[in-house]
Amino acid sequence: MVFTKIRDLREDRDMTQAQAAEKLFIHVTQYRRYETGERAIPLETAVRIAQLFGVSLDYLAGVTSYDSLAVQGELSDSEKELLTLYRRMNGENRGRLLERADFLVSSQK
């Protein structure tokens, strides 16, 4: 499951595997193996991956569904749920949701 999160994080940042590997100072083949789950990720590399993508190790390991420890303390439960759902959407649906949210905010009395 860690590999799925790594791929999603990379794709959310419009980064190629080669670009991520370069930033992590590893060969692209090694990065690809981590992302596909062919190889376990050493702790030192997991720390660098978490730093690269700005997430916690807990998030990468699947301990928490929120990618930042700071987010957990700052958001209400409903805000966390909304954020989790938003992150599971594709780009098109994210755009639709933002347009709808903007409309709802502007139509409030």
Side-chain angles (χ1 to χ4, degrees), residues 17-45:
Q17 287 181 336
Q19 290 168 326
E22 182 180 330
K23 291 180 183 286
L24 294 167
F25 304 104
I26 59 176
H27 194 275
V28 67
T29 303
Q30 190 63 35
Y31 179 84
R32 187 175 299 121
R33 288 179 179 149
Y34 295 150
E35 200 172 276
T36 60
E38 292 178 48
R39 293 279 175 121
I41 303 170
L43 181 58
E44 180 181 308
T45 304

Side-chain angles (χ1 to χ4, degrees), residues 53-73:
F53 295 125
V55 298
S56 69
L57 284 174
D58 285 349
Y59 177 76
L60 285 182
V63 174
T64 180
S65 61
Y66 308 104
D67 67 5
S68 171
L69 294 176
V71 168
Q72 290 182 21

Side-chain angles (χ1 to χ4, degrees), residues 4-104:
T4 304
K5 288 182 181 180
I6 294 169
R7 185 193 66 231
D8 290 343
L9 289 165
R10 176 183 57 77
E11 289 176 349
D12 286 348
R13 286 151 181 84
D14 296 322
M15 193 181 289
T16 66
Q17 287 181 336
Q19 290 168 326
E22 182 180 330
K23 291 180 183 286
L24 294 167
F25 304 104
I26 59 176
H27 194 275
V28 67
T29 303
Q30 190 63 35
Y31 179 84
R32 187 175 299 121
R33 288 179 179 149
Y34 295 150
E35 200 172 276
T36 60
E38 292 178 48
R39 293 279 175 121
I41 303 170
L43 181 58
E44 180 181 308
T45 304
V47 168
R48 290 196 326 254
I49 290 170
Q51 290 171 336
L52 172 65
F53 295 125
V55 298
S56 69
L57 284 174
D58 285 349
Y59 177 76
L60 285 182
V63 174
T64 180
S65 61
Y66 308 104
D67 67 5
S68 171
L69 294 176
V71 168
Q72 290 182 21
E74 297 172 9
L75 300 178
S76 69
D77 289 341
S78 60
E79 289 170 324
K80 290 176 187 176
E81 182 180 0
L82 182 59
L83 183 57
T84 299
L85 292 171
Y86 176 83
R87 289 183 174 154
R88 292 174 47 201
M89 292 179 183
N90 63 29
E92 182 178 344
N93 285 336
R94 285 179 178 181
R96 288 178 180 164
L97 179 63
L98 292 173
E99 288 174 9
R100 182 69 178 149
D102 186 51
F103 171 78
L104 291 171

